[in-house]
Structures are given as structure tokens and as C-alpha cells.
Amino acid sequence: MYLGISSSLEHSSPEEWAMKHKALGLQAVVFPVSSDDGEETVVAYKKAADDAGLTIAEVGVWRNTLAANGDERRQWTDYAVNQLRMADAIGAACCVNVVGTPYGPRWDGGYRMNFSTELWDMAVAMIRQIIDTARPARTKFCIESMPWMIPSCPDECLRLLEDVDRAEFGTHLDVVNMITSPRKYFYNDEFLHECFEKLHGTIVSCHLKDIRLKPEYTFQLQECACGQGTLDIELYARLATAENPCMPMIIEHLNTDAEYTASVRYVRERLGKSYHSS
């Protein structure tokens, strides 16, 4: 596995950005600039990553390409195409988004119609459009798994891969986002095996975090930093490494550079010999 963080860390130049990640013993990075920032900036950050020996794991989209408003939908679909083209140009492992929704005020929110046949068909058409327009040669386009929109489980990931039917479409695995029941929570080791067995050969990047059960009724789960929950992180890392020795595993959703630094140190210490920094 190649450990990384979603934070770009506070920096004043591409070189400082790369060196700060390298100093933490990281091997993977999330690209910190977008296609809107211009070719010169993109090239500078790509060079800094290459010079530091860092693998570019992900380019994010994080826009609602299924927005109800037609103009907004076209705007964000065009943005996704440009992000995927940029990701391919810099050799990123994946360009990733969540599927989005036209059914409510929150673009990544949970709504009943998120699991409708109508949404599924729109998602398949949208993914094909982005891939067929961008035509990436090296980078996979991915839809991150989510608890309240597709794909919310390994079987939905497989079905989406089959229905999209594009070699340039891959799996971005966020196991915590798919732990949505007591069974998956208490037997997360079994669920980890299920994810990697069913999605073998399609996974290009993973998110790394933890999950804990809140004591209040009814069943409530809370995402948390690594070590503050019950996820079998050792097994997760072992399965990811078996899938790909260079699998990016990106720590995310912390608040400060200090929290990311502490989490990196915790994960490296906890995994011990199973994590090898280059």
C-alpha cells in the first residue's frame, strides 16, 4: 500500500507541497489543483510530485453531475470531463466523484429516489458521457461508494461496472462509507473480505478512516479518525496490498494539518512492518 492524505497541507509552492508529503513518509498524494488553475500550475505540481517520487492517487471532481438544473448539470459534467483529461495527462490512478443527485437541496444527500431505476439509468449515461468525451488512456474514472446513494455496497459496484461497460471505469473503495448495518459494523472483517473478493481487479484507490458505534438509540454510526473506531485497519491494509502492492490508501476528513500528521504517524506505527515507506 501507498499511504497518502487528502489534505494538500499548508504550502507556498509546488515543491514545498511535495516535500511536506515526502517528509511524512507518504508515497501517494491527492492532486491539489484543478484543471481550472491552468496548464502551467498543473505541470509544476506534476513535476514536484515526480521529483519527490510521489504517486498521484486521485484527482477529485466533487460536483453534482446529476444536478436538477440543466445548465448546472452541463457545467459540472464539462468540469468532470476536464478533470478526467487532466488526471490522465498527469498519470493519476483515478479521477473520482460521487454520483450526485437531482432529488434534494444537498447534492450528496440521502433521498429515497437515489435508489430508483431512474437515477441508476441517469448515472450510467452520465458516467459513459464523461468517459467517452474525455477518452482517458491511463486513468480510471470512478464513482466513490456512499451510504445513501449508489453504489452503496459491493454488489452495486459490480452492477455499475457491468452496466457502464467501459474499460476506463474502475472502483474507488471507501469501505467505511458502505458500513451501514450492525452486521457490517460488528463483522467488518468479513465485510472487508467481501469487498476485495467481489471487486478484485477493479480497485484503483482506497480511502482510509475509521468508524464507531454511538451509544444513543437507534443504530447510529459515526465516521472518525483511524484508531478511534473498530475497523480492522490491519486487515484493510493487508487486503489492499494483496490487491496491489502500490495501492493508494488516502486518509481523509480530518480538520487540520496537525490532525493529518498525527493520523499518519498513528497508522504507520499501528501497521508496523506491514507498512513500508520508500
Side-chain angles (χ1 to χ4, degrees):
M1 59 169 278
Y2 279 9
L3 191 62
I5 56 176
S6 61
S7 171
S8 59
L9 302 174
E10 185 176 349
H11 65 278
S12 58
S13 69
E15 293 75 21
E16 183 184 15
W17 164 75
M19 287 301 100
K20 280 193 169 185
H21 284 74
K22 192 69 175 179
L24 287 177
L26 301 175
Q27 297 157 292
V29 290
V30 173
F31 205 59
V33 297
S34 79
S35 53
D36 291 339
D37 291 314
E39 183 177 1
E40 183 177 346
T41 300
V42 170
V43 169
Y45 276 89
K46 164 64 173 170
K47 182 178 185 301
D50 287 347
D51 289 348
L54 297 167
T55 294
I56 300 173
E58 301 175 10
V59 166
V61 178
W62 315 131
R63 302 291 191 277
N64 192 3
T65 52
L66 291 181
N69 179 278
D71 290 339
E72 185 180 352
R73 185 183 301 193
R74 283 186 289 273
Q75 176 186 1
W76 297 137
T77 299
D78 289 345
Y79 179 76
V81 168
N82 289 334
Q83 289 294 91
L84 180 52
R85 284 174 172 160
M86 180 188 73
D88 194 54
I90 63 176
C94 70
C95 178
V96 59
N97 200 14
V98 300
V99 76
T101 181
Y103 300 123
R106 177 174 166 179
W107 80 279
D108 58 352
Y111 308 101
R112 176 181 175 127
M113 286 292 289
N114 287 354
F115 295 96
S116 65
T117 299
E118 177 183 65
L119 186 285
W120 187 277
D121 292 343
M122 286 193 297
V124 169
M126 172 267 293
I127 295 165
R128 286 176 174 174
Q129 179 185 351
I130 291 169
I131 291 172
D132 292 347
T133 305
R135 301 179 64 184
R138 299 184 292 174
T139 297
K140 301 286 189 181
F141 185 63
C142 297
I143 297 294
E144 182 180 340
S145 47
M146 288 284 283
W148 46 70
M149 57 178 53
I150 62 169
S152 63
C153 63
D155 287 338
E156 287 181 353
C157 291
L158 285 175
R159 182 184 161 204
L160 197 58
L161 286 164
E162 181 178 348
D163 287 1
V164 170
D165 192 25
R166 296 293 188 273
E168 301 87 357
F169 187 49
T171 298
H172 182 284
L173 185 61
D174 191 317
V175 169
V176 165
N177 283 3
M178 293 193 289
I179 295 178
T180 54
S181 69
R183 180 80 191 186
K184 290 178 181 178
Y185 176 78
F186 291 115
Y187 293 87
N188 67 75
D189 54 339
E190 294 181 3
F191 184 61
L192 281 162
H193 278 290
E194 178 187 350
C195 289
F196 281 93
E197 287 168 6
K198 288 183 174 179
L199 299 171
H200 174 66
T202 72
I203 304 168
V204 293
S205 189
C206 302
H207 278 168
L208 178 60
K209 50 199 179 188
D210 213 333
I211 190 165
R212 62 187 172 208
L213 178 65
K214 297 179 72 174
E216 296 86 5
Y217 287 111
T218 55
F219 181 71
Q220 298 180 54
L221 293 174
Q222 183 177 41
E223 177 187 312
C224 56
C226 294
Q228 296 179 10
T230 61
L231 187 70
D232 191 336
I233 292 173
E234 290 83 359
L235 177 60
Y236 193 10
R238 190 162 66 249
L239 291 172
T241 302
E243 176 75 13
N244 175 7
C246 304
M247 179 69 76
M249 296 195 76
I250 306 299
I251 297 171
E252 66 162 356
H253 290 172
L254 302 178
N255 297 312
T256 65
D257 287 1
E259 288 179 2
Y260 277 104
T261 298
S263 188
V264 168
R265 289 172 178 164
Y266 171 80
V267 169
R268 293 182 65 193
E269 289 173 4
R270 177 166 167 178
L271 295 182
K273 292 182 180 179
S274 65
Y275 172 75
H276 299 278
S277 175
S278 62

